[in-house]
Structure formats: structure tokens, C-alpha cells
Amino acid sequence: MHHIDVRMEKDVYDVNNAIADENARHLKDHGIRAFDLLGAIGSGKTALIERLVPLLKGKGLRAGAIAGDVYGDDDFQRIIKQGIPAYNANTGKECHLDAHLVEHAIEHLPLDDIDILFIENVGNMVCPTDFRLGAEKRIVIVSSTEGDDVVNKHPMMFRDCTIGVINKVDLAPLVGANIDRMEADIHRYNPEMPVFKTNMKTGENLAELLDAILV
């Protein structure tokens, strides 16, 4: 028989959410708006940060980032090439960031030099869903190369996020992915979610996406 200790699970979430609320207050005290980026490995989370940093500079806004990965610093190295402050948060065996890890990461950032903080979660479509970090919005990114059934396989991710991004739309014909089906699935699980279809190589729809993030 499979036994689940519901009380223990609730305690874990309660503690995490309390720290997430404190993270949100701490960032707000420094005038920082934080946004959580979620999606599978290779969906385009790091590429999105790379693309949005120059657009933010054009608006007179200073970006920072927390790069969450199980191991290594590949994404972190890409991000700091944009000339922004960042922190590499390795989770070890954990498949998601949690609020305590983000609290620790925030301690290593020059908060007075940041207006917009991107929190790039670990590449996973399941585990990050239940762990709030203190961000004001959660942006979920999927790509055509994951298959057009990816949304239907991960409904909780889309029910719990604020903005949806379907990336690599240029590759959809090559992999046989139906972008319309992906968008329809998103709206089936979250009818109010705005959805942006992007191509990180050309910058398609990224300015509109940034406006929706900042609104």
C-alpha cells in the first residue's frame, strides 16, 4: 500500500510559502520586481533572459538573474555575458528551486542595482509547480520541439502560471508540432492566460511578451 503523510506535505509547503512571502517583501523593499521562469530543459528559458535584457535596458531597467540548475553553471555563464548581476543556484538532487534557496541566492545579489529579477527554475515541468519562490508572476515556456502534447501532459503547470510562451515556432513544421493545438490546450487549462508564440533567434513577439510581463 502506498502511504502519503498529508500533514508532512502540508508542513513543507507552509514553510516554503512563508519564506516565499518574505522573499517577496524583501525584494519589494528594494524596488525589485521578480519573475519566475519555468519550463523543461531546452525550452528556451535562458535564451529568453538573453533576449529580454537588451529590451529592458532600452526601457531604462536593470536586470538581474538567479540561474537554477541541478548541477553546473552553463546557464549562469550565458547570463553573465549579458553584463548583469546573477547567482548560480545548484540544487544537487532536487528537481526544483524552493523559497529557501532563492532566499540564499538573494543574499548574494547587489539588490540596489537591480530593477527586474528573473528566477530561472530548474528544467522540469512537474516539480517546480508547488513551490512558490516570491515572484510576482510565473512564466511557463514550452517549445514546439517538445511535442504538441506537452501542455496536455502537464496541466498543473499551466493552471498555476500567469503567462504562457510557446517557443521555437519556426521549428514546428520540421517536428510535426501543431502550435494551434498547444495554444488550445493552454486555454483549456487556463482560459485567461495570455499566450505568446516566440522565436528567440528572430525576436518574434518578444517585445509584446515583455510588455505583458511588466504590466
Side-chain angles (χ1 to χ4, degrees):
M1 179 182 293
H2 182 59
H3 175 72
I4 298 175
D5 190 332
V6 177
R7 178 66 251 176
M8 182 179 292
E9 183 178 89
K10 184 178 186 300
D11 288 346
V12 169
Y13 293 150
D14 286 348
V15 170
N16 181 83
N17 290 339
I19 298 173
D21 289 341
E22 182 56 36
N23 288 344
R25 284 191 290 270
H26 187 42
L27 292 169
K28 185 177 181 180
D29 286 345
H30 286 270
I32 297 173
R33 301 183 65 189
F35 304 101
D36 191 5
L37 304 181
L38 302 97
I41 295 172
S43 60
K45 300 184 298 298
T46 307
L48 180 60
I49 295 173
E50 291 173 321
R51 274 292 192 168
L52 292 185
V53 167
L55 296 179
L56 286 168
K57 287 181 180 178
K59 294 177 178 290
L61 295 171
R62 303 163 299 172
I66 296 170
D69 266 313
V70 173
Y71 179 79
D73 66 351
D74 300 79
D75 293 344
F76 171 75
Q77 293 297 333
R78 288 172 58 185
I79 289 169
I80 60 174
K81 286 181 180 178
Q82 300 302 308
I84 66 172
Y87 181 79
N88 190 48
N90 284 151
T91 64
K93 295 181 179 180
E94 297 298 325
C95 56
H96 60 85
L97 290 175
D98 60 32
H100 178 67
L101 282 169
V102 171
E103 178 186 39
H104 177 68
I106 289 171
E107 295 172 353
H108 294 269
L109 292 173
L111 300 184
D112 292 333
D113 298 329
I114 297 171
D115 301 307
I116 303 296
L117 178 65
F118 293 114
I119 305 173
E120 181 185 351
N121 219 308
V122 174
N124 190 297
M125 290 291 285
V126 179
C127 301
T129 306
D130 294 324
F131 290 85
R132 292 173 42 228
L133 305 178
E136 71 175 69
K137 292 179 183 177
R138 308 183 91 186
I139 299 102
V140 55
I141 307 168
V142 292
S143 66
S144 65
T145 52
E146 296 168 64
D148 55 19
D149 57 356
V150 63
V151 176
N152 199 46
K153 290 180 176 179
H154 302 91
M156 293 307 298
M157 178 67 75
F158 293 88
R159 286 175 177 149
D160 196 52
C161 286
T162 318
I163 296 173
V165 179
I166 302 173
N167 190 33
K168 303 181 184 179
V169 294
D170 53 316
L171 298 180
L174 302 179
V175 297
N178 185 331
I179 299 297
D180 291 336
R181 185 247 168 116
M182 297 173 76
E183 184 174 19
D185 282 346
I186 290 174
H187 285 146
R188 183 152 52 91
Y189 294 117
N190 191 335
E192 304 302 319
M193 177 182 278
V195 177
F196 296 87
K197 303 168 187 176
T198 61
N199 178 343
M200 299 299 172
K201 293 188 180 298
T202 65
E204 181 180 350
N205 289 328
L206 291 181
E208 293 82 0
L209 170 59
L210 180 58
D211 287 342
I213 292 173
L214 296 178
V215 70

